[in-house]
Amino acid sequence: GLGDVYKRQALLQTYSTLEANLDPKFIELLPSLEFGIDSHTEILPTLLEIVKSYSLILNSREFFSFPTFINIFNQLSKYFLKLRDDSFELLLEIWENLTLVSSTDTEASLFESFHESGVLRAILDSVFKEESLSNYQCSQVIQIAARVAYLNPQILIDFIAVYHQELPNFAENQDLPIAERKAVVKEMSLDEIVNKFLTIWIVCFKEIYDPKVKKVHILGISSLLRTGLYPVLSEFQVIVSMWVEMLEEINETNEGDCEKYHLNDLVTDMSPEYPLTSEQIRYHELCRKNDPAHNVGLKSFVTQTLQFLENQMGAQYQELLNSVNASLVENLQLFLGISTQK
């Protein structure tokens, strides 16, 4: 109604002052954001744009110190897959920003808040739908899991374990309407569920063509190797082939960046036709400084992952390498500049 229109204008006016800095008025307006989301208004994308601004300004602990945001996520994660495309993508961007503004000291609180606000459950529910999503949409959702796995692989597995405990059993699952049925049930072991998760992830990965996004997924799935879990180690050959394919395709700087990772940047050296908002510039800065896709070298990441596995596995490490196609291992060693021991 008209009230909504005024509210929207008021929000947008205040929103533009957010560009300067966090205005105390802005904090007072937070509950009205929730109102907009509760009443499923047409302005959801606008409201989410506002939440997105916050996700770029606050670190993740500050962000989640506002109950409004936890309530909004709880609300939206309930009908996450029913959101219109624009709102769906905005929500994923917000969640991804929060993983980027997270630092080692706010990590624990980030994961706790992701759990508490239903974010991780929404992600796993989406991935484990019996009526599976398109590979592209599924890869967008798994990208958040990839970000979490890179920050802390064990935490992602712990979440899957908690999720496992809350799954319906086989009979309950059969009774659910088809749209709500899951591809996993309580009777399965945790290993089987992790295996299912990786199988879906690997299929979706094949549909990713943007080199930067590919790298984000590779960093995430490879980090899971550190958990030493059998279902992850059993996909070692697939992960090695991801590494080799990626190393063939890109040529990173020593810092880990590459021109191909900037194909979709809004901020470029070419002056854009429209001046960028300070928010777009802020996002660009955040990525430049905090996104491992731009500042973690793939070669050194792979080398460290292999060293970690060798230290952890001892004699079994050689067996793991032997399980991989020999020419693949040779290619990998060439890229990493390791001489092959004969």
Side-chain angles (χ1 to χ4, degrees), residues 58 64 68 83 117 192-193 209 217 257 300 311 317:
L58 304 169
F64 282 113
T68 295
L83 294 172
S117 59
E192 288 173 299
I193 289 176
Y209 299 104
H217 281 259
D257 210 353
S300 60
N311 296 339
Y317 174 70

Side-chain angles (χ1 to χ4, degrees), residues 2-20:
L2 203 56
D4 260 351
V5 175
Y6 287 125
K7 187 165 256 164
R8 180 182 187 173
Q9 278 168 343
L11 277 170
L12 287 176
Q13 268 155 1
T14 325
Y15 176 43
S16 52
T17 64
L18 176 67
E19 297 291 357

Side-chain angles (χ1 to χ4, degrees), residues 172-187:
E172 290 164 339
N173 195 46
Q174 289 307 103
D175 287 342
L176 288 171
I178 183 86
E180 287 167 40
R181 262 180 237 163
K182 298 190 168 38
V184 287
V185 289
K186 199 178 227 126
E187 284 87 343

Side-chain angles (χ1 to χ4, degrees), residues 70-108:
I70 294 206
N71 297 344
I72 288 174
F73 289 171
N74 262 319
Q75 196 56 23
L76 293 181
S77 55
K78 287 195 186 81
Y79 53 96
F80 175 52
L81 294 176
K82 296 190 176 76
L83 294 172
R84 272 196 352 218
D85 284 0
D86 49 359
S87 296
F88 175 77
E89 297 199 351
L90 272 166
L91 194 53
L92 288 173
E93 282 169 23
I94 293 165
W95 292 344
E96 188 160 35
N97 288 349
L98 290 167
T99 68
L100 293 178
V101 293
S102 163
S103 54
T104 333
D105 55 324
T106 59
E107 236 171 61

Side-chain angles (χ1 to χ4, degrees), residues 15 27-28 70 115 125 129 164 233 277 296 315 328-329 340:
Y15 176 43
I27 311 282
E28 291 157 33
I70 294 206
H115 183 53
D125 276 346
K129 271 172 71 70
H164 177 206
L233 294 175
T277 64
V296 170
L328 207 52
V329 175
T340 32

Side-chain angles (χ1 to χ4, degrees), residues 127-289:
V127 173
F128 287 131
K129 271 172 71 70
E130 189 177 287
E131 288 193 314
S132 51
L133 303 177
S134 73
N135 290 342
Y136 174 69
Q137 193 181 17
C138 196
S139 73
Q140 288 180 293
V141 175
I142 291 184
Q143 193 163 327
I144 306 298
R147 293 290 193 184
V148 171
Y150 174 75
L151 292 172
N152 190 326
Q154 192 53 51
I155 286 272
L156 183 63
I157 299 296
D158 293 347
F159 276 122
I160 294 177
V162 170
Y163 182 81
H164 177 206
Q165 293 312 308
E166 296 166 0
L167 279 172
N169 63 33
F170 182 78
E172 290 164 339
N173 195 46
Q174 289 307 103
D175 287 342
L176 288 171
I178 183 86
E180 287 167 40
R181 262 180 237 163
K182 298 190 168 38
V184 287
V185 289
K186 199 178 227 126
E187 284 87 343
M188 293 166 74
S189 67
L190 179 61
D191 271 8
E192 288 173 299
I193 289 176
V194 173
N195 174 264
K196 183 80 182 154
F197 184 72
L198 285 169
T199 307
I200 295 170
W201 192 347
I202 289 162
V203 168
C204 295
F205 179 81
K206 296 190 171 82
E207 303 282 318
I208 302 172
Y209 299 104
D210 178 323
K212 177 186 168 177
V213 175
K214 242 184 182 164
K215 182 172 175 184
V216 170
H217 281 259
I218 290 175
L219 292 174
I221 202 166
S222 309
S223 296
L224 287 176
L225 289 166
R226 292 175 173 264
T227 61
L229 279 185
Y230 176 73
V232 186
L233 294 175
S234 61
E235 297 292 359
F236 186 61
Q237 169 155 315
V238 178
I239 295 174
V240 170
S241 65
M242 287 177 181
W243 295 341
V244 169
E245 187 191 318
M246 191 69 179
L247 291 166
E248 277 171 354
E249 187 188 328
I250 49 131
N251 195 4
E252 292 185 343
T253 63
N254 291 339
E255 286 73 47
D257 210 353
C258 169
E259 270 175 37
K260 288 187 180 175
Y261 299 156
H262 294 280
L263 298 175
N264 296 319
D265 280 8
L266 282 166
V267 182
T268 57
D269 299 337
M270 315 290 290
S271 56
E273 291 155 45
Y274 312 99
L276 293 161
T277 64
S278 58
E279 170 164 324
Q280 287 166 324
I281 293 167
R282 192 179 281 134
Y283 173 70
H284 179 72
E285 280 302 292
L286 177 69
C287 288
R288 208 174 51 85
K289 289 211 292 279

Side-chain angles (χ1 to χ4, degrees), residues 277-326:
T277 64
S278 58
E279 170 164 324
Q280 287 166 324
I281 293 167
R282 192 179 281 134
Y283 173 70
H284 179 72
E285 280 302 292
L286 177 69
C287 288
R288 208 174 51 85
K289 289 211 292 279
N290 289 12
D291 193 336
H294 297 303
N295 52 39
V296 170
L298 191 59
K299 281 183 192 173
S300 60
F301 170 80
V302 169
T303 305
Q304 284 165 5
T305 304
L306 293 174
Q307 279 166 348
F308 178 88
L309 290 172
E310 189 170 6
N311 296 339
Q312 294 294 311
M313 298 178 73
Q316 288 175 305
Y317 174 70
Q318 206 45 53
E319 284 173 41
L320 184 68
L321 280 186
N322 294 344
S323 72
V324 179
N325 172 307

